[in-house]
Amino acid sequence: MFPQVEEEGIIAINRFPEDGLDRDQLLEMMSKLRLKDADGHSGKSFAYIYDADLEAHNEFVEKAFQMFIHENALNPVAFPTLRRFEVEVVSMTKHLFHGGDTAVGTMTSGGTESILCAIKSYRDRARKLYPHITQPEMVLPESAHVAHEKAAHYFDVKTVYVPVDPVTFRADLAAYERAITSNTICLVASAPQYPQGVVDPIEEIGALAEKYSLPLHVDACIGGYMLPWVEKLGYPVPKWDFRVPGVTSISADIHKYGYCPKGASTLTFRNAEYRKYQFFAFSTWPGGLFVSPSLLGSRPGGSIAAAWASLASLGESGFMDIAKKTMETAVKFREGIARIDGLRVLGSPHMTIVSMGSTTPDLHILALADVMQDKYGWKIERQHRPYCLHLSVMPPHAKVADEFLANLEECVGIVLADPTLVKQGSAAMYGNAGSIPDNAILEDFLTSFLDRVYS
């Protein structure tokens, strides 16, 4: 799948060279290899790289990253500048989320770590306050990010999933309340959920959190640094942050719509009483007294510095300008998709996510993604349950929106005219996966696949 074919100027390095290779030669080889990777700056990709489409900004945050590339936030006493950056990032963030002076938080390496830290905190809180709970559970919509399932797997917490409405894709509140039991240690909601970009009914879930005296984590990893600006621009956004009394923590990624290098995220708590369960301390290690705020030990200084630099340099006006441009592009995508016969937009997204599906069984939506990629180079994310295509709209997409929509309409015609395309590419792969009755078998296959990828 990933053959290490030797091309001109490119060699495979599977053992330590006897003598170090020439640095210029290595840099040239790296530049050639990089051409095979997804390009987040061209507008042809809809995931992974969140580019502000501002050359001066990109160069600035790269300089900030480089300035602190060798520093380590493992020890805030040794690196007080990184401590200052982190404290100020959290302060900017907590006020953006209406947390007030009592809110606290930390930075992490990304959304997954932020979510893992939140669930670990609530598990440890339950262990101390409710030791009779021996089989802890968390309640979450089925659209919640898979990182919650990963946290449950790591920390031995049972996930209790709640269905979402097949039209609005918002959580079923009656089912949500029924899912709460005496073993529930926390509730989860998303702002927005990733698959369709819809904000969960967080005010109502927050009321459940208060009713049952449970903490509520809001996963705003993709929306945290976009939704506040979208709301200020006048678009309808349901309340989702600390303005909702039941919300006790929020995860949000700066390396998405905060426009800084990977990996930088924040986990903010309503107060220090919740955050203390995130920390890990150990006093009997021969290497010395140890305390850590998150999952990682060593924490790259460059990511923290670049995140601080990005937020401080763009400011409210800079983020508002980018949000305006990006939301206008997202609306253009939604309206353009809705005008194409055979396509529809799923749900009513609250920000810069667009999810499109098919209105007819003759148009397999995953085959459409395959044709768009093979013919025009568009890299679109595939989803299932239901089958749909996911677009995270970013600033570079403004300059290619018309081209994308024209290509999309043409490729719809190609797929409708050739029924065999459903038996090829990702359409066939997802179709085969859907025919496997046992999820455990499918997950074993995925694990084997990943083993091959890294072999």
Side-chain angles (χ1 to χ4, degrees), residues 380-451:
I380 308 171
E381 297 304 294
R382 284 78 159 165
Q383 300 185 139
H384 66 161
R385 301 188 178 191
Y387 289 131
C388 55
L389 303 181
H390 182 279
L391 310 177
S392 290
V393 182
M394 297 167 233
H397 294 129
K399 58 179 178 276
V400 298
D402 290 330
E403 179 188 0
F404 176 87
L405 291 169
N407 292 166
L408 187 67
E409 186 168 18
E410 178 190 346
C411 291
V412 165
I414 292 173
V415 175
L416 287 172
D418 187 355
T420 66
L421 292 171
V422 74
K423 299 178 181 179
Q424 305 171 28
S426 64
M429 181 185 73
Y430 272 92
N432 291 334
S435 67
I436 299 174
D438 188 340
N439 287 337
I441 295 174
L442 179 56
E443 287 160 11
D444 283 344
F445 166 78
L446 292 172
T447 302
S448 298
F449 170 79
L450 191 63
D451 183 63

Side-chain angles (χ1 to χ4, degrees), residues 4-15 17 21-22 25-26 29-30 32-33:
Q4 289 183 292
V5 178
E6 292 196 10
E7 304 171 17
E8 184 177 353
I10 297 176
I11 58 173
I13 306 174
N14 296 315
R15 295 177 181 271
L21 302 180
D22 179 77
Q25 176 190 355
L26 290 171
M29 186 169 77
M30 292 166 73
K32 289 180 179 179
L33 287 169

Side-chain angles (χ1 to χ4, degrees), residues 269-411:
F269 288 93
R270 183 173 287 276
N271 55 51
E273 184 63 25
Y274 288 107
R275 185 181 64 171
K276 70 180 183 181
Y277 295 104
Q278 178 184 326
F279 298 160
F280 172 80
F282 192 66
S283 61
T284 60
W285 179 42
L289 300 175
F290 183 86
V291 64
S292 172
S294 56
L295 297 184
L296 302 185
S298 293
R299 303 166 68 214
S303 300
I304 295 172
W308 176 86
S310 183
L311 300 185
S313 64
L314 286 173
E316 289 197 11
S317 61
F319 276 105
M320 287 286 285
D321 288 344
I322 297 172
K324 182 176 184 296
K325 170 184 175 181
T326 312
M327 276 299 293
E328 288 172 352
T329 305
V331 170
K332 187 172 190 175
F333 275 125
R334 290 177 207 160
E335 293 176 348
I337 289 166
R339 284 194 297 266
I340 298 174
D341 192 26
L343 294 181
R344 66 186 178 101
V345 174
L346 274 61
S348 299
H350 290 106
M351 50 167 271
T352 51
I353 289 174
V354 181
S355 181
M356 72 175 101
S358 171
T359 61
T360 169
D362 296 329
L363 176 62
H364 197 297
I365 199 70
L366 302 189
L368 177 61
D370 294 340
V371 175
M372 285 285 283
Q373 182 163 340
D374 294 343
K375 188 172 177 63
Y376 290 112
W378 298 103
K379 293 179 172 60
I380 308 171
E381 297 304 294
R382 284 78 159 165
Q383 300 185 139
H384 66 161
R385 301 188 178 191
Y387 289 131
C388 55
L389 303 181
H390 182 279
L391 310 177
S392 290
V393 182
M394 297 167 233
H397 294 129
K399 58 179 178 276
V400 298
D402 290 330
E403 179 188 0
F404 176 87
L405 291 169
N407 292 166
L408 187 67
E409 186 168 18
E410 178 190 346
C411 291

Side-chain angles (χ1 to χ4, degrees), residues 142-163:
E142 60 187 3
S143 56
H145 196 277
V146 68
H148 296 90
E149 184 66 35
K150 195 175 194 179
H153 179 76
Y154 285 179
F155 302 133
D156 199 21
V157 177
K158 180 183 177 182
T159 48
V160 181
Y161 286 105
V162 175

Side-chain angles (χ1 to χ4, degrees), residues 72-286:
N72 184 354
L74 169 65
N75 187 335
V77 176
F79 298 98
T81 305
L82 293 181
R83 187 211 69 88
R84 173 175 179 158
F85 290 159
E86 182 168 3
V87 168
E88 291 186 359
V89 164
V90 170
S91 181
M92 285 186 274
T93 299
K94 74 179 186 181
H95 289 297
L96 183 67
F97 298 165
H98 301 93
D101 292 334
T102 61
V104 295
T106 56
M107 289 186 65
T108 72
S109 62
T112 294
E113 189 187 0
S114 289
I115 290 169
L116 262 63
C117 284
I119 303 307
K120 180 262 182 196
S121 300
Y122 294 134
R123 184 204 63 177
D124 287 1
R125 176 178 179 270
R127 281 180 173 177
K128 182 171 183 178
L129 300 182
Y130 313 107
H132 63 279
I133 298 179
T134 58
Q135 296 178 309
E137 300 175 353
M138 61 172 156
V139 180
L140 66 171
E142 60 187 3
S143 56
H145 196 277
V146 68
H148 296 90
E149 184 66 35
K150 195 175 194 179
H153 179 76
Y154 285 179
F155 302 133
D156 199 21
V157 177
K158 180 183 177 182
T159 48
V160 181
Y161 286 105
V162 175
V164 299
D165 185 278
V167 176
T168 67
F169 296 95
R170 303 187 91 202
D172 181 327
L173 286 169
Y176 203 115
E177 183 166 15
R178 287 195 301 270
I180 298 171
T181 72
S182 58
N183 286 328
T184 304
I185 62 166
C186 70
L187 309 181
V188 172
S190 304
Q193 42 93 301
Y194 180 85
Q196 288 82 33
V198 174
V199 175
D200 280 325
I202 293 173
E203 288 184 276
E204 293 84 350
I205 296 173
L208 292 177
E210 290 189 289
K211 178 179 178 180
Y212 292 98
S213 300
L214 290 167
L216 168 58
H217 177 68
V218 172
D219 170 25
C221 284
I222 198 166
Y225 294 95
M226 176 59 76
L227 284 172
W229 318 118
V230 171
E231 182 180 352
K232 287 187 177 185
L233 287 168
Y235 292 93
V237 176
K239 285 188 173 59
W240 59 273
D241 57 13
F242 289 118
R243 287 173 292 181
V244 178
V247 172
T248 53
S249 60
I250 300 172
S251 52
D253 291 357
I254 310 174
H255 65 214
K256 289 190 173 77
Y257 289 107
Y259 309 110
C260 74
K262 303 288 188 292
S265 179
T266 55
L267 176 58
T268 314
F269 288 93
R270 183 173 287 276
N271 55 51
E273 184 63 25
Y274 288 107
R275 185 181 64 171
K276 70 180 183 181
Y277 295 104
Q278 178 184 326
F279 298 160
F280 172 80
F282 192 66
S283 61
T284 60
W285 179 42

